[in-house]
Amino acid sequence: EVQLVESGGGLVQPGGSLRLSCAASGFTFSHSAMSWVRQAPGKGREWVSAITTDGGVTTYATSVKGRFTISRDNAKNTLYLQMDSLQPEATAVYYCAKPSPVQTSWSKFHEYEYWGQGTQVTVSS
């Protein structure tokens, strides 16, 4: 059974940082690219970042580029998202997601194979 379990969310003040983790099991983690997707209150899902199998290539949404860093530890089957200089607009539920082998776009959410349950990030003073 595939499981993706996010952790690390919470309440942080504007300008602060958080590091999210996603523990993966039930599949060969090192063989799969991975993504982070978020959903703000009352809004649709937004793709945030993706990383290739070996971590050699990372991509980011324009809205987070330069402030968020995606990484992975294949030995620990864990995906990370380091979020710095957080602003209130980053408030959302953050999900890790496993793309399908035929994923055509990081933003085609119906193509993802598996999703975690999400972790809440709230940026507020």
Side-chain angles (χ1 to χ4, degrees):
E1 178 192 6
V2 172
Q3 285 195 317
L4 298 171
V5 180
E6 301 95 337
S7 61
L11 174 64
V12 63
Q13 291 189 338
S17 297
L18 280 175
R19 188 175 84 152
L20 306 183
S21 298
C22 171
S25 61
F27 66 102
T28 307
F29 181 72
S30 61
H31 290 185
S32 180
M34 295 293 295
S35 280
W36 286 100
V37 174
R38 67 185 179 185
Q39 186 164 20
K43 295 188 177 180
R45 286 177 287 189
E46 177 191 15
W47 171 76
V48 173
S49 183
I51 188 168
T52 52
T53 54
D54 64 354
V57 177
T58 57
T59 53
Y60 299 92
T62 302
S63 58
V64 306
K65 198 175 245 183
R67 296 183 297 111
F68 288 15
T69 304
I70 190 171
S71 62
R72 65 192 296 161
D73 185 336
N74 286 342
K76 294 183 178 179
N77 289 345
T78 303
L79 177 73
Y80 302 101
L81 185 69
Q82 176 68 40
M83 305 186 294
D84 298 319
S85 302
L86 284 163
Q87 297 302 317
E89 54 265 30
T91 295
V93 178
Y94 285 72
Y95 300 90
C96 66
K98 179 186 181 301
S100 75
V102 295
Q103 192 86 20
T104 59
S105 166
W106 301 127
S107 295
K108 288 192 176 179
F109 304 119
H110 65 280
E111 293 183 350
Y112 284 87
E113 279 189 315
Y114 298 101
W115 295 81
Q117 84 289 347
T119 187
Q120 176 70 48
V121 171
T122 302
V123 185
S124 175
S125 55

